[in-house]
Coordinates of all heavy atoms in Angstrom, one line a residue:
L146 N 44.8 26.9 126.9 CA 43.9 27.1 127.9 C 43.3 28.6 127.9 O 42.1 28.8 128.0 CB 44.5 26.9 129.3 CG 43.5 27.0 130.5 CD1 42.4 26.1 130.4 CD2 44.2 26.8 131.8
L147 N 44.2 29.5 127.6 CA 43.7 30.9 127.5 C 42.8 31.1 126.3 O 41.9 32.0 126.4 CB 44.9 31.8 127.3 CG 45.9 32.0 128.5 CD1 47.1 32.9 128.1 CD2 45.2 32.5 129.7
A148 N 42.9 30.3 125.3 CA 42.0 30.4 124.2 C 40.6 29.8 124.4 O 39.7 30.0 123.6 CB 42.6 29.8 122.9
H149 N 40.5 29.1 125.6 CA 39.2 28.4 125.9 C 38.8 28.8 127.3 O 39.0 28.0 128.2 CB 39.4 26.9 125.7 CG 39.6 26.4 124.3 ND1 38.6 26.1 123.5 CD2 40.7 26.3 123.6 CE1 39.1 25.8 122.3 NE2 40.4 25.8 122.3
P150 N 38.1 29.9 127.4 CA 37.7 30.3 128.8 C 36.8 29.4 129.5 O 36.6 29.4 130.7 CB 37.1 31.7 128.6 CG 36.7 31.7 127.1 CD 37.7 30.9 126.4
E151 N 36.1 28.5 128.7 CA 35.2 27.5 129.3 C 35.9 26.4 129.9 O 35.3 25.6 130.7 CB 34.2 27.0 128.2 CG 34.8 26.0 127.3 CD 35.7 26.5 126.2 OE1 35.9 27.8 126.2 OE2 36.2 25.7 125.4
A152 N 37.2 26.2 129.6 CA 38.0 25.0 130.1 C 38.5 25.3 131.4 O 39.0 26.5 131.7 CB 39.0 24.6 129.1
D153 N 38.7 24.3 132.3 CA 39.3 24.5 133.6 C 40.8 24.2 133.6 O 41.5 24.7 134.4 CB 38.6 23.6 134.6 CG 37.2 24.0 134.9 OD1 36.9 25.2 135.1 OD2 36.3 23.1 134.9
S154 N 41.2 23.4 132.7 CA 42.6 22.9 132.7 C 43.0 22.3 131.3 O 42.1 22.0 130.5 CB 42.8 21.9 133.8 OG 42.1 20.7 133.5
V155 N 44.3 22.2 131.2 CA 44.9 21.5 130.1 C 45.8 20.4 130.7 O 46.6 20.8 131.6 CB 45.7 22.4 129.2 CG1 46.6 21.6 128.2 CG2 44.7 23.3 128.4
R156 N 45.7 19.2 130.2 CA 46.6 18.2 130.7 C 47.4 17.6 129.6 O 46.8 17.2 128.5 CB 45.8 17.1 131.5 CG 45.3 17.5 132.8 CD 45.4 16.4 133.8 NE 45.7 17.0 135.1 CZ 46.0 16.3 136.2 NH1 46.0 15.0 136.2 NH2 46.2 16.9 137.4
S157 N 48.7 17.4 129.8 CA 49.5 16.7 128.7 C 49.3 15.2 128.8 O 49.2 14.6 129.9 CB 50.9 17.0 128.9 OG 51.4 16.6 130.1
V158 N 49.1 14.6 127.6 CA 48.7 13.2 127.5 C 49.5 12.5 126.4 O 49.9 13.2 125.5 CB 47.3 13.0 127.3 CG1 46.5 13.4 128.6 CG2 46.7 13.7 126.1
S159 N 49.7 11.2 126.6 CA 50.2 10.4 125.5 C 49.4 9.1 125.4 O 48.7 8.7 126.3 CB 51.7 10.0 125.9 OG 52.5 11.1 126.1
L160 N 49.5 8.5 124.2 CA 48.8 7.2 124.0 C 49.3 6.2 125.0 O 50.5 6.1 125.2 CB 48.9 6.8 122.6 CG 47.9 7.3 121.5 CD1 48.4 6.9 120.1 CD2 46.5 6.8 121.8
V161 N 48.5 5.4 125.5 CA 48.9 4.3 126.4 C 49.6 3.3 125.6 O 49.3 3.0 124.4 CB 47.7 3.7 127.2 CG1 47.1 4.7 128.1 CG2 46.7 3.1 126.3
Q162 N 50.5 2.5 126.2 CA 51.2 1.5 125.5 C 50.4 0.2 125.6 O 50.5 -0.6 124.6 CB 52.6 1.2 126.2 CG 53.5 2.3 126.0 CD 54.9 2.0 126.6 OE1 55.2 0.9 127.0 NE2 55.8 3.0 126.6
Q163 N 49.6 0.0 126.6 CA 48.7 -1.1 126.6 C 47.3 -0.6 126.9 O 47.0 0.2 127.8 CB 49.1 -2.1 127.8 CG 50.5 -2.6 127.6 CD 50.6 -3.6 126.4 OE1 49.6 -4.1 126.0 NE2 51.8 -3.8 126.0
S164 N 46.3 -1.1 126.2 CA 44.9 -0.7 126.3 C 44.3 -1.1 127.6 O 44.4 -2.3 127.9 CB 44.1 -1.2 125.1 OG 42.7 -0.8 125.4
P165 N 43.7 -0.3 128.4 CA 43.0 -0.7 129.6 C 41.8 -1.6 129.3 O 41.3 -2.3 130.2 CB 42.6 0.6 130.3 CG 42.5 1.6 129.2 CD 43.6 1.2 128.2
Y166 N 41.3 -1.6 128.0 CA 40.3 -2.5 127.7 C 40.7 -3.9 127.6 O 39.9 -4.8 127.3 CB 39.6 -2.0 126.3 CG 38.9 -0.7 126.5 CD1 39.4 0.5 125.9 CD2 37.7 -0.6 127.1 CE1 38.8 1.7 126.1 CE2 37.0 0.6 127.3 CZ 37.6 1.7 126.7 OH 36.9 2.9 126.9
K167 N 42.0 -4.2 127.8 CA 42.5 -5.6 127.8 C 43.1 -5.9 129.2 O 43.8 -6.8 129.3 CB 43.6 -5.7 126.7 CG 43.0 -5.8 125.3 CD 44.1 -5.9 124.3 CE 43.5 -6.1 122.9 NZ 42.9 -7.4 122.7
M168 N 42.7 -5.1 130.1 CA 43.2 -5.3 131.5 C 42.1 -5.9 132.4 O 40.9 -5.8 132.2 CB 43.7 -4.0 132.1 CG 44.9 -3.4 131.4 SD 45.4 -1.9 132.1 CE 46.8 -1.5 131.0
W169 N 42.6 -6.6 133.5 CA 41.8 -7.3 134.4 C 42.0 -7.0 135.9 O 43.1 -6.6 136.2 CB 42.0 -8.8 134.2 CG 41.7 -9.3 132.8 CD1 42.4 -9.1 131.7 CD2 40.5 -10.0 132.4 NE1 41.8 -9.7 130.6 CE2 40.6 -10.2 131.0 CE3 39.4 -10.5 133.1 CZ2 39.6 -10.9 130.3 CZ3 38.4 -11.1 132.3 CH2 38.6 -11.4 131.0
K170 N 41.0 -7.2 136.7 CA 41.2 -7.1 138.1 C 41.0 -8.4 138.7 O 40.2 -9.2 138.2 CB 40.1 -6.1 138.7 CG 40.2 -4.7 138.3 CD 39.2 -3.8 139.0 CE 37.8 -4.2 138.6 NZ 36.8 -3.3 139.2
V171 N 41.7 -8.7 139.8 CA 41.6 -10.0 140.5 C 40.7 -9.7 141.7 O 41.0 -8.9 142.6 CB 42.9 -10.5 141.0 CG1 42.8 -11.8 141.7 CG2 43.8 -10.8 139.7
R172 N 39.6 -10.5 141.8 CA 38.7 -10.3 143.0 C 39.2 -11.0 144.2 O 40.3 -11.7 144.1 CB 37.3 -11.0 142.6 CG 36.6 -10.5 141.4 CD 35.2 -11.1 141.3 NE 34.5 -10.7 140.1 CZ 34.4 -11.4 139.0 NH1 35.0 -12.6 139.0 NH2 33.6 -11.0 138.0
E173 N 38.6 -10.7 145.3 CA 39.1 -11.3 146.6 C 39.0 -12.8 146.6 O 39.8 -13.5 147.3 CB 38.3 -10.7 147.7 CG 38.5 -9.3 148.0 CD 37.8 -8.8 149.3 OE1 37.1 -9.6 149.9 OE2 37.9 -7.6 149.6
D174 N 38.1 -13.4 145.8 CA 37.9 -14.9 145.8 C 38.9 -15.5 144.8 O 38.9 -16.7 144.6 CB 36.5 -15.3 145.4 CG 36.1 -14.8 144.0 OD1 36.9 -14.2 143.3 OD2 34.9 -15.1 143.6
G175 N 39.8 -14.7 144.1 CA 40.8 -15.2 143.3 C 40.4 -15.3 141.8 O 41.3 -15.6 140.9
T176 N 39.2 -15.0 141.5 CA 38.7 -15.0 140.1 C 39.0 -13.6 139.5 O 39.3 -12.6 140.2 CB 37.2 -15.3 139.9 OG1 36.5 -14.4 140.7 CG2 37.0 -16.7 140.5
M177 N 38.9 -13.4 138.2 CA 39.2 -12.2 137.5 C 37.8 -11.6 136.9 O 36.9 -12.3 136.6 CB 40.2 -12.3 136.5 CG 41.6 -12.7 137.0 SD 42.9 -12.3 135.8 CE 42.3 -13.1 134.3
E178 N 37.9 -10.3 136.7 CA 36.9 -9.6 136.0 C 37.5 -8.4 135.2 O 38.6 -7.9 135.6 CB 35.8 -9.0 136.9 CG 36.3 -7.9 137.9 CD 35.2 -7.3 138.7 OE1 34.1 -7.2 138.2 OE2 35.5 -6.9 139.9
P179 N 36.9 -8.1 134.1 CA 37.5 -7.0 133.3 C 37.6 -5.7 134.0 O 36.7 -5.3 134.8 CB 36.6 -6.9 132.0 CG 35.9 -8.2 132.0 CD 35.7 -8.6 133.4
L180 N 38.7 -4.9 133.8 CA 38.8 -3.6 134.4 C 37.7 -2.7 133.8 O 37.1 -1.9 134.5 CB 40.2 -3.1 134.1 CG 40.4 -1.6 134.6 CD1 40.4 -1.6 136.1 CD2 41.8 -1.1 134.1
L181 N 37.5 -2.8 132.4 CA 36.6 -1.9 131.8 C 35.8 -2.8 130.8 O 36.2 -3.8 130.3 CB 37.3 -0.8 130.9 CG 38.1 0.2 131.7 CD1 38.9 1.1 130.7 CD2 37.2 1.0 132.6
R182 N 34.6 -2.3 130.5 CA 33.7 -2.9 129.5 C 33.3 -1.9 128.5 O 33.2 -0.7 128.8 CB 32.5 -3.6 130.1 CG 32.8 -4.7 131.1 CD 31.5 -5.3 131.7 NE 31.8 -6.2 132.8 CZ 32.1 -7.5 132.7 NH1 32.0 -8.0 131.5 NH2 32.3 -8.2 133.7
L183 N 33.1 -2.3 127.2 CA 32.6 -1.4 126.2 C 31.1 -1.7 125.8 O 30.8 -2.8 125.5 CB 33.4 -1.5 124.9 CG 34.8 -0.7 124.8 CD1 35.5 -1.1 123.6 CD2 34.4 0.7 124.8
P184 N 30.3 -0.7 126.0 CA 28.9 -0.9 125.6 C 28.8 -1.3 124.1 O 29.4 -0.7 123.3 CB 28.2 0.5 125.8 CG 29.1 1.2 126.8 CD 30.5 0.7 126.5
G185 N 28.0 -2.3 123.9 CA 27.8 -2.8 122.5 C 28.9 -3.6 122.0 O 28.8 -4.1 120.8
M186 N 29.9 -4.0 122.8 CA 31.0 -4.8 122.3 C 31.2 -5.9 123.4 O 31.8 -5.7 124.4 CB 32.3 -4.0 122.1 CG 33.4 -5.0 121.6 SD 35.0 -4.0 121.3 CE 34.6 -3.1 119.8
T187 N 30.7 -7.1 123.1 CA 30.9 -8.2 124.1 C 32.3 -8.6 124.0 O 32.9 -8.8 122.9 CB 29.9 -9.4 123.7 OG1 28.6 -8.9 123.7 CG2 30.0 -10.5 124.7
D188 N 32.9 -8.9 125.2 CA 34.2 -9.4 125.3 C 35.3 -8.6 124.5 O 36.0 -9.1 123.7 CB 34.2 -10.9 124.7 CG 35.5 -11.7 125.1 OD1 36.2 -11.2 126.0 OD2 35.8 -12.7 124.5
C189 N 35.3 -7.3 124.9 CA 36.2 -6.4 124.2 C 37.7 -6.8 124.4 O 38.6 -6.4 123.7 CB 36.0 -4.9 124.6 SG 36.4 -4.5 126.3
Q190 N 37.9 -7.5 125.5 CA 39.3 -8.0 125.8 C 39.9 -8.9 124.7 O 41.1 -9.0 124.6 CB 39.3 -8.7 127.2 CG 39.1 -7.7 128.4 CD 37.7 -7.3 128.5 OE1 36.8 -8.0 128.0 NE2 37.5 -6.2 129.1
S191 N 39.0 -9.4 123.9 CA 39.5 -10.4 122.9 C 39.4 -9.8 121.5 O 39.7 -10.5 120.5 CB 38.6 -11.7 122.9 OG 38.7 -12.3 124.2
H192 N 39.0 -8.5 121.4 CA 39.0 -7.8 120.1 C 40.4 -7.3 119.7 O 41.1 -6.9 120.6 CB 37.9 -6.7 120.1 CG 36.5 -7.2 119.9 ND1 35.9 -8.0 120.9 CD2 35.6 -7.0 118.9 CE1 34.7 -8.3 120.5 NE2 34.5 -7.7 119.3
P193 N 40.6 -7.2 118.4 CA 41.9 -6.5 118.0 C 42.0 -5.1 118.5 O 41.0 -4.4 118.6 CB 41.8 -6.5 116.5 CG 40.8 -7.6 116.1 CD 39.9 -7.6 117.3
R194 N 43.2 -4.6 118.9 CA 43.3 -3.3 119.5 C 42.9 -2.2 118.6 O 42.5 -1.1 119.0 CB 44.8 -3.1 119.9 CG 45.7 -3.1 118.8 CD 47.2 -2.8 119.3 NE 48.1 -2.9 118.2 CZ 48.4 -1.9 117.3 NH1 47.7 -0.8 117.4 NH2 49.3 -2.1 116.4
Q195 N 42.9 -2.5 117.2 CA 42.5 -1.5 116.3 C 41.1 -1.1 116.4 O 40.6 0.0 115.9 CB 42.9 -1.9 114.8 CG 44.4 -2.0 114.5 CD 44.9 -3.4 114.9 OE1 44.3 -4.2 115.6 NE2 46.1 -3.7 114.5
L196 N 40.3 -2.0 117.0 CA 38.8 -1.8 117.1 C 38.5 -1.1 118.4 O 37.3 -0.8 118.6 CB 38.1 -3.1 117.0 CG 38.2 -3.9 115.6 CD1 37.4 -5.1 115.7 CD2 37.8 -3.0 114.5
L197 N 39.5 -0.9 119.3 CA 39.2 -0.4 120.6 C 39.4 1.1 120.6 O 40.3 1.6 119.8 CB 40.1 -1.0 121.7 CG 39.9 -2.6 121.8 CD1 41.0 -3.1 122.8 CD2 38.5 -2.9 122.2

Side-chain angles (χ1 to χ4, degrees):
L146 184 58
L147 292 176
H149 293 272
E151 77 284 0
D153 294 312
S154 65
V155 165
R156 289 221 144 186
S157 61
V158 294
S159 303
L160 274 171
V161 296
Q162 294 185 6
Q163 300 291 339
S164 174
Y166 291 106
K167 290 180 174 287
M168 295 182 181
W169 298 77
K170 296 184 295 184
V171 178
R172 301 186 183 99
E173 290 186 2
D174 64 1
T176 62
M177 296 201 306
E178 63 176 329
L180 177 66
L181 298 173
R182 299 179 189 271
L183 273 174
M186 182 182 287
T187 303
D188 194 14
C189 68
Q190 289 72 25
S191 299
H192 281 66
R194 62 178 176 81
Q195 293 87 348
L196 299 181
L197 302 175

